[in-house]
């Protein structure tokens, strides 16, 4: 059980006066990440399901005594919702110190987002890509700031299929998830390179990715087989609290103040697949993502 639990964030860093956004923080590791960070500072819970988000936020407020746990609507499957969220946030909050791109979908039957993107790519990668783009200036103004992207060990099985990004020629729900998690790693790598190049001090902006571990959560709800396996082998899975530890570590650990463009698992650096270290693919994915979203991000 202790082996399965993995690493634990030991940092006691406070986030007094600081603001954190966590996407998908109404359940699973996102909720546990929000619960921990609410003991340290102000947390914005950004979720599609407002009722679930309010219930989670109410629970966290009662447990931590922190009334600065704010719920805002964000549907990562709709770029209009993402832009509306960013517009409201920027109007109401003058600072943003940590952005945790946590929300995700897994093993979805073939479907598309409101903008016509394949669901895994659209939510797990493009939605967070656009959100980060819209909030980046506020992060820069609040520096030092951190961007944390929740990826997965599944990125090892992914590849960026530029000829069929939206799975219209062939589609496998498991591979689609792997492709989107590889996109998270490549986005992190290219983002870190660009931020580092424009920053006078490397510590001003950092972007890191992570694998939370195999976690007993609602993420497998789209697959009957995986849901059954998760129940049968639950003893060998991390709890959401255990799965949240590396997200928390990447968000607050003092030793990561100047670490950027890295990939972590169990609160320590982890191996990245060769495809996840391909700078040319990372640059091309960046360019294609901008084109799909209709933005210019130089």
């Amino acid at each position: 059980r202790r082996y399965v639990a993995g690493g634990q964030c030991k940092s006691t860093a406070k986030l007094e006066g600081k603001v954190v956004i966590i996407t998908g923080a109404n359940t699973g590791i996102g909720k546990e990440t929000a619960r921990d960070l609410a003991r340290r500072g102000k947390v914005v819970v950004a979720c599609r399901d407002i009722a679930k988000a309010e219930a989670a936020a109410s629970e966290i407020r009662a447990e931590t005594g922190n009334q600065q746990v704010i719920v805002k609507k964000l549907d990562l499957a709709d770029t209009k919702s993402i832009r509306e969220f960013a517009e409201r946030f920027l109007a109401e909050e003058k600072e943003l110190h940590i952005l945790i791109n946590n929300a995700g979908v897994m093993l979805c039957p073939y479907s598309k987002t409101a903008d016509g993107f394949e669901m895994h790519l659209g939510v797990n990668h493009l939605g967070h890509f656009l959100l980060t783009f819209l909030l980046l200036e506020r992060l820069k103004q609040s520096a030092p700031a951190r961007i944390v992207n929740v990826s997965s060990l599944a990125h090892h099985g992914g590849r960026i299929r530029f000829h069929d990004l939206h799975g219209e020629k062939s589609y496998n729900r498991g591979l689609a998830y792997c492709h989107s998690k590889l996109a998270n790693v490549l986005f992190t790598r290219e983002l870190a390179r660009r931020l580092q190049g424009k920053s006078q001090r490397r510590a001003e902006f950092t972007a890191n990715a992570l694998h939370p571990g195999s976690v007993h959560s609602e993420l497998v709800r789209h697959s009957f087989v995986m849901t059954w396996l998760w129940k049968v082998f639950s003893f060998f899975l991390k709890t959401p609290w255990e799965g949240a530890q590396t997200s928390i570590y990447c968000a607050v650990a003092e030793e990561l103040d100047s670490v950027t463009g890295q990939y972590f698992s169990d609160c320590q650096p982890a191996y990245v697949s060769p495809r996840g270290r391909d700078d040319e693919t990372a640059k091309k994915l960046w360019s294609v993502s901008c084109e799909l979203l209709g933005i210019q991000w130089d």
Side-chain angles (χ1 to χ4, degrees):
R1 180 65 254 178
R2 283 196 298 270
Y3 175 79
V4 170
Q8 184 176 339
C9 179
K10 305 291 187 182
S11 174
T12 58
K14 294 296 183 184
L15 300 175
E16 294 171 4
K18 294 190 175 182
V19 181
V20 182
I21 290 177
I22 308 174
T23 67
N26 62 341
T27 187
I29 64 172
K31 181 179 177 182
E32 293 304 324
T33 303
R35 193 192 310 274
D36 181 282
L37 298 187
R39 295 189 174 97
R40 307 171 190 254
K42 183 173 182 176
V43 175
V44 175
V45 174
C47 299
R48 177 178 56 85
D49 191 323
I50 290 295
K52 282 188 177 180
E54 287 289 0
S58 179
E59 178 187 319
I60 293 170
R61 290 186 207 110
E63 184 176 322
T64 64
N66 180 5
Q67 298 306 304
Q68 292 295 291
V69 180
I70 312 300
V71 172
K72 292 186 184 297
K73 184 174 178 60
L74 170 65
D75 184 353
L76 288 160
D78 186 345
T79 58
K80 181 181 178 183
S81 174
I82 298 169
R83 290 181 180 279
E84 288 174 350
F85 168 86
E87 187 177 337
R88 288 195 305 271
F89 177 86
L90 294 173
E92 297 169 8
E93 301 288 346
K94 300 308 176 189
E95 293 188 304
L96 173 60
H97 303 87
I98 301 170
L99 171 62
I100 303 180
N101 291 318
N102 163 84
V105 295
M106 181 180 181
L107 303 176
C108 300
Y110 188 75
S111 57
K112 290 187 174 182
T113 68
D115 301 273
F117 308 139
E118 187 277 316
M119 190 62 70
H120 293 90
L121 182 78
V123 171
N124 298 353
H125 169 60
L126 291 171
H128 284 124
F129 187 97
L130 178 60
L131 179 66
T132 305
F133 166 75
L134 295 171
L135 298 176
L136 190 63
E137 284 306 313
R138 188 57 44 90
L139 282 159
K140 287 181 178 180
Q141 294 164 10
S142 309
R146 299 186 186 191
I147 298 165
V148 179
N149 294 323
V150 179
S151 182
S152 170
L153 182 68
H155 85 271
H156 286 269
R159 59 184 299 182
I160 307 302
R161 302 169 71 246
F162 289 108
H163 67 287
D164 189 24
L165 275 178
H166 304 296
E168 293 169 329
K169 296 178 181 177
S170 66
Y171 180 76
N172 177 287
R173 63 173 76 183
L175 290 177
Y177 176 71
C178 294
H179 301 334
S180 70
K181 294 290 102 177
L182 174 59
N184 292 154
V185 172
L186 292 169
F187 169 45
T188 303
R189 187 177 185 88
E190 181 64 8
L191 177 61
R193 185 187 71 81
R194 288 166 177 257
L195 291 178
Q196 195 174 340
K198 293 187 177 182
S199 174
Q200 295 300 311
R201 292 183 298 112
R202 190 181 178 196
E204 280 191 350
F205 321 108
T206 64
N208 291 299
L210 67 100
H211 167 54
S214 297
V215 181
H216 197 285
S217 72
E218 297 178 9
L219 193 59
V220 296
R221 63 187 178 275
H222 292 292
S223 170
F224 172 79
V225 173
M226 289 297 291
T227 300
W228 181 79
L229 288 172
W230 250 226
K231 288 181 179 178
V232 172
F233 296 103
S234 60
F235 186 79
F236 298 99
L237 300 173
K238 289 185 178 184
T239 65
W241 182 86
E242 292 163 350
Q245 293 305 302
T246 307
S247 294
I248 298 164
Y249 174 75
C250 289
V252 304
E254 297 89 341
E255 62 266 33
L256 299 187
D257 279 347
S258 60
V259 175
T260 191
Q262 301 302 306
Y263 172 74
F264 293 86
S265 178
D266 285 329
C267 301
Q268 59 186 359
Y271 179 74
V272 178
S273 74
R275 288 193 179 107
R277 288 180 269 120
D278 188 327
D279 289 333
E280 290 309 309
T281 301
K283 291 173 184 175
K284 184 174 180 180
L285 178 63
W286 185 284
S287 176
V288 170
S289 298
C290 287
E291 185 178 330
L292 287 170
L293 293 165
I295 60 176
Q296 286 189 318
W297 190 353
D298 298 322

